Amino acid sequence: MGMLRSDAESELIKTLDYYGAGGNVQVNGQPCTITKYHLQANYQIPGYRIDIGCTRPNKQTYSIVENMSGDYAWDDDIPGAELVPGKGKSTPNQSMLTERRIRLWAGPHGAPKAALAAAAGMHPLQSFGQNPATLLDNQAKAGVKGTTTLTWVTEKTVEKAVVTFPVPDVPGATATATLVNYLPERVVVKNGNDTYEFIYSKWADFNNPLFKIEALIPTTTVERKNGAAVRNVTSKVTEIGQIYVIVPVPDSVQKAGK
C-alpha cells in the first residue's frame, strides 16, 4: 500500500488528509447524498475528524463534523469548534467512540498498522517508525508471540490472504481482512453482537501529481453495519505522509468525561 521510507525502511505514514466526492451517508436511516467529505487522521494520537456535508432526498442539507481523539468522541458544527471561544459548538458523543475507533483501525492504512502491531505483540503507537521486518524478527527472537494470524484461501481460482487481528483499544473486537494481491478488498470487524464491514475497490494513488509516494487508497469505500449501508464514498484526492494533523479535544468535551 506504500510507505514513506527512511534508510532503515521504517513505516512512517503518520497522517492522512482525504477528500471524497459523490456517494452517500446514512442520516437517521435515510441516504444523504455527499456534497463534502473531508477526513483528516493522525494514527499516533490516535484520532480523526470527518467533515461531512450532504443533501437529503427532500433537498434539506445536513452537516456534521465527527471527531475521535484518544478516549474522547464528539461532534462539531464546524471544524475545530470551541477551540476559539465563541466559535462553533461541540457536543460530546461518547457512545460513538467504539465505532469510530473501529472505523480508524479498519481503514485503508489503519488496518495494516493494527495487524502489524498485533503480530509484534504491541499497540500501533509502539510499532510506528520501525522497520516491519526487523520488528517482527526481533520480537520473535525475544519470544514475543503476536496475535495476528494469516491463512490462504482460493476463491474462483484467485488466491487470497486472510489476516485476522484484534482492533486496538476495542477489547474483544476482532478484524478479518481479506487481501487480493496484498491489498484489502474487505475488512470485517466483529464486536459483540455488531458486525462492521468495509469493502474497498480499485486501489490507486490519489496524491498530488507532484507528490506521488505510491501510497495507495481505494477508489471506492463502502461501509455497512449489521448488513445495513452506513456510507459509500468515492476518493477524490489525498495527502498521505507527514502532513500536520492534530485533533484537540475541546474543554467542554473533556469536562463531560470519558
Side-chain angles (χ1 to χ4, degrees):
M1 291 172 62
M3 289 190 293
L4 288 179
R5 295 174 181 269
S6 66
D7 291 341
E9 296 188 341
S10 302
E11 197 279 285
L12 292 172
I13 291 180
K14 174 182 178 182
T15 54
L16 168 66
D17 193 2
Y18 171 96
Y19 287 88
N24 60 75
V25 296
Q26 294 293 305
V27 177
N28 297 325
Q30 297 294 320
C32 192
T33 302
I34 290 173
T35 55
K36 175 174 61 175
Y37 195 93
H38 182 200
L39 182 152
Q40 292 178 299
N42 185 318
Y43 299 100
Q44 283 193 292
I45 294 176
Y48 71 76
R49 72 174 59 85
I50 308 179
D51 187 4
I52 300 172
C54 62
T55 303
R56 305 173 191 254
N58 62 5
K59 306 304 180 183
Q60 288 185 336
T61 59
Y62 173 85
S63 64
I64 191 172
V65 183
E66 301 174 345
N67 301 277
M68 185 275 286
S69 183
D71 294 326
Y72 295 93
W74 72 100
D75 300 326
D76 289 335
D77 58 353
I78 61 172
E82 295 188 10
L83 299 181
V84 176
K87 290 192 175 182
K89 173 64 177 175
S90 296
T91 304
N93 195 355
Q94 205 65 10
S95 65
M96 293 299 294
L97 178 62
T98 292
E99 186 166 304
R100 291 178 186 179
R101 282 175 168 170
I102 288 172
R103 183 173 290 121
L104 180 72
W105 295 119
H109 296 128
K113 289 177 183 295
L116 170 66
M122 55 180 59
H123 192 279
L125 303 189
Q126 299 171 297
S127 61
F128 178 81
Q130 301 190 52
N131 179 319
T134 303
L135 171 65
L136 295 181
D137 287 345
N138 289 342
Q139 292 294 86
K141 291 177 182 177
V144 177
K145 293 184 178 181
T147 53
T148 295
T149 62
L150 167 66
T151 59
W152 293 90
V153 299
T154 301
E155 296 181 3
K156 297 181 179 179
T157 73
V158 177
E159 190 174 42
K160 300 182 179 183
V162 179
V163 182
T164 302
F165 55 94
V167 178
D169 303 320
V170 184
T174 301
T176 301
T178 302
L179 286 66
V180 178
N181 294 327
Y182 305 102
L183 295 171
E185 68 171 9
R186 182 177 59 183
V187 179
V188 177
V189 176
K190 298 281 189 179
N191 181 43
N193 294 325
D194 291 323
T195 299
Y196 301 82
E197 184 178 20
F198 302 83
I199 301 171
Y200 303 121
S201 60
K202 298 181 181 179
W203 292 76
D205 186 344
F206 286 89
N207 268 26
N208 186 295
L210 298 178
F211 191 56
K212 296 289 189 183
I213 62 171
E214 296 183 351
L216 307 181
I217 210 157
T219 298
T220 302
T221 298
V222 176
E223 179 182 340
R224 299 190 182 106
K225 180 180 179 180
N226 297 327
V230 174
R231 58 191 62 180
N232 183 332
V233 185
T234 300
S235 300
K236 183 178 180 181
V237 64
T238 63
E239 190 68 58
I240 299 171
Q242 297 295 63
I243 60 171
Y244 185 63
V245 173
I246 60 173
V247 191
V249 183
D251 288 342
S252 65
V253 174
Q254 294 188 47
K255 291 177 181 176
K258 300 177 182 180

